[in-house]
Amino acid sequence: MMLKTPVQTVKERLLAGGALLPDTAENVLEVVGILKSYGVVLGHYWENLIYMSQGQFLVLFPFFKYFNGEVNWGKLLRHWNHDRINYEFSEYCMRAMLWHGSPPLDQYLDSPEFNELAQGAIQAKIQGNVFMQFLHRCFPEFLPEQVKLMVYTSVLGQFWRVMSPLFLDLSDRYDRGEITTIKNVVDHIRMGLIQAAPAPIIYDVKINGDIYPLLTPAAGLDFLTAAAVPYVEAVFFRSFPFMGTVSYNAQAYQIPADQGDFNYGALYADPLPIGGAGIPPTLLMQDMRHHLPDYLLERYRHSTRGLADVRVKICETFQKSMFCVTTAAIQALAPHPLTSSDPQERRVNDRYVELWVQRLSDSRLLAVQG
C-alpha cells in the first residue's frame, strides 16, 4: 500500500472539512493568542490608514502622517525614540496591494467615471496652491496616481477595520471556552468573512468643508472581491522580495520576471531573517511582541531559547494563524460546501482544492504540519 504524501494528507483533511493546520491543543493556543495580539495591532493600523486617506489626502510631504492628527512634543519624542506602533508595515502591505492590484478595483480606477471624480477632488485640493497647480500642469498623471494610492490606503484600512474586531472576538470566545479546536477558529473567521462579504467599499474625502466621493456605492465594489481576496493574493502569496536577502539585479535571476510568480508573501516567508534590518515583517513582529497574551508569552518563555528569539517564534506562530485564515478563505470561496456528499460537487471540489494545495506546496505549509 502506497503511503500518503504530506500534501495528499492536507488535501484530504480540507475535503473532510478540516484546515491546512493540524488540529492540536497547542496550535489552538498559539493561533488564538497570536490573533489576539494581531487584532490589537490591526486596530492601530486601520485607524492610521483611514486617517491618512482622509487627513493626508494629496499632502506631498506628509511628515506627520503617523500621528493621526495629534501632534505634540510628548508624542514626537516617543516617535523619535521608536516607542510607537510601526505604521510603516501597514504601508508596506498597502503598497503590495497597489502593485499587485485588485481586479475589480483597478477596473473602476481606470474608468472615466473615477477619473472625473478624481479630477474634481484634485482641483478642489490645489485651488489657491500655485505650486500644486504648476505641478499638475507639468505632470498631469502624477496627482491622479496619488489619488489611487489614497484609494488603496482607504481600502486596506476598511479591510482591517473588519478583521481587527473579528480576531479580538475570537480571543474573547476562546477565553469563555467556546473555541477549543482549529475547526472552531476557521469557522469563526469564515463566518466573519461571509457576513462582511457584501459590505460596500466606499471612500470620500472632505476638502474645504465639501465632500468629494471617490469610491461610490454605484461602483459596486464589495468587501470580499475588492478587498479581502486581493489582500490574500498580494500579502499572503506574492508580496515583495526582502531587500538584503535576494538580489534585485535582473542579471542575477533571483527574482521572477513575472510578478505573478512572486511567492514572498506571509505563507512563504522564512521566519529566520525576522529581526534583521530591512525585513518588513520584523516591524509587525515587534508590534505584536508588546500585545501577546500572558499564556502565549509564557509558552514562548519556557520553549527552547526562551525569549531570546521571540520574534522568530512570533513569526512562526503568525504563519500558523494565517494558514487558518487562508483555510477560511478557501472554504468561503469553494464552489460547493467542501463536506458535500454529492458526487458531482465532490469532483468539482476536488479539482478546486487540488489547485490550492499545489500552489501552497512550496510554502511553509509542510513546516507547520509537525
Side-chain angles (χ1 to χ4, degrees):
M1 183 177 68
M2 294 182 61
L3 295 176
K4 298 177 184 176
T5 66
V7 172
Q8 289 173 326
T9 300
V10 172
K11 177 183 175 181
E12 290 183 4
R13 192 163 67 229
L14 279 176
L15 288 170
L20 292 167
L21 185 70
D23 187 7
T24 66
E26 175 183 300
N27 282 339
V28 174
L29 181 146
E30 289 191 16
V31 166
V32 173
I34 206 67
L35 287 179
K36 177 178 182 179
S37 175
Y38 189 48
V40 174
V41 173
L42 286 190
H44 292 287
Y45 285 173
W46 79 252
E47 287 179 353
N48 183 247
L49 288 171
I50 295 298
Y51 164 73
M52 285 199 292
S53 69
Q54 299 285 345
Q56 301 292 303
F57 182 77
L58 294 187
V59 176
L60 299 186
F61 302 101
F63 296 113
F64 300 109
K65 61 184 178 180
Y66 297 144
F67 286 73
N68 292 342
E70 181 188 350
V71 181
N72 55 61
W73 279 109
K75 200 169 186 179
L76 192 60
L77 290 173
R78 290 194 299 272
H79 184 92
W80 286 338
N81 195 41
H82 299 285
D83 180 17
R84 62 182 180 89
I85 292 289
N86 292 291
Y87 296 113
E88 293 89 343
F89 182 76
S90 60
E91 280 198 279
Y92 166 82
C93 293
M94 177 272 292
R95 292 181 184 277
M97 284 188 69
L98 172 68
W99 197 57
H100 290 295
S102 164
L105 180 58
D106 287 344
Q107 183 178 359
Y108 177 71
L109 295 182
D110 292 334
S111 69
E113 293 81 7
F114 174 77
N115 182 65
E116 182 178 349
L117 294 173
Q119 289 297 334
I122 290 170
Q123 292 302 323
K125 186 68 178 180
I126 68 177
Q127 185 177 6
N129 189 323
V130 177
F131 171 74
M132 292 281 281
Q133 291 172 351
F134 177 75
L135 179 69
H136 189 45
R137 283 197 298 270
C138 292
F139 306 99
E141 297 300 320
F142 176 71
L143 291 183
E145 287 301 313
Q146 296 303 304
V147 174
K148 292 179 181 179
L149 180 70
M150 289 293 98
V151 167
Y152 268 92
T153 301
S154 176
V155 168
L156 180 54
Q158 292 179 64
F159 173 69
W160 277 342
R161 186 165 57 190
V162 170
M163 301 308 294
S164 173
L166 182 65
F167 294 147
L168 295 177
D169 183 49
L170 173 71
S171 174
D172 291 341
R173 293 185 63 199
Y174 176 78
D175 293 341
R176 295 194 299 266
E178 299 174 14
I179 300 292
T180 58
T181 67
I182 289 296
K183 184 179 184 304
N184 293 155
V185 173
V186 172
D187 288 346
H188 175 89
I189 298 172
R190 187 187 74 251
M191 292 308 300
L193 291 173
I194 291 174
Q195 290 173 6
I201 295 293
I202 57 177
Y203 169 47
D204 52 50
V205 292
K206 189 175 184 178
I207 304 173
N208 299 324
D210 295 323
I211 301 297
Y212 292 84
L214 291 168
L215 298 182
T216 66
L221 300 170
D222 62 68
F223 175 87
L224 183 65
T225 60
V229 173
Y231 176 83
V232 169
E233 187 69 30
V235 178
F236 284 18
F237 288 94
R238 297 182 183 179
S239 193
F240 300 128
F242 303 146
M243 291 185 177
T245 61
V246 295
S247 173
Y248 272 69
N249 187 332
Q251 295 177 337
Y253 300 107
Q254 292 185 6
I255 297 176
D258 185 351
Q259 72 185 73
D261 295 331
F262 276 23
N263 59 353
Y264 302 97
L267 301 181
Y268 294 80
D270 183 354
L272 290 182
I274 296 303
I279 307 298
T282 301
L283 301 174
L284 174 61
M285 306 309 145
Q286 178 67 13
D287 287 339
M288 289 197 291
R289 165 70 176 83
H290 297 298
H291 300 284
L292 295 175
D294 291 339
Y295 58 82
L296 183 55
L297 188 62
E298 198 65 19
R299 173 171 179 75
Y300 289 156
R301 184 177 284 114
H302 289 92
S303 62
T304 305
R305 298 191 182 91
L307 299 180
D309 62 343
V310 67
R311 293 172 188 81
V312 175
K313 290 182 171 72
I314 291 172
C315 182
E316 292 174 331
T317 304
F318 180 68
Q319 286 182 320
K320 288 183 178 181
S321 72
M322 292 302 100
F323 277 111
C324 290
V325 177
T326 302
T327 301
I330 291 173
Q331 292 179 353
L333 296 170
H336 307 286
L338 295 184
T339 54
S340 171
S341 58
D342 181 271
Q344 177 61 28
E345 292 182 354
R346 290 190 66 82
R347 283 193 292 271
V348 174
N349 283 341
D350 186 273
R351 291 193 294 271
Y352 168 78
V353 170
E354 176 69 24
L355 292 175
W356 275 102
V357 172
Q358 287 302 318
R359 187 176 186 187
L360 290 166
S361 61
D362 59 346
S363 70
R364 296 279 301 173
L365 177 63
L366 299 184
V368 302
Q369 299 303 307

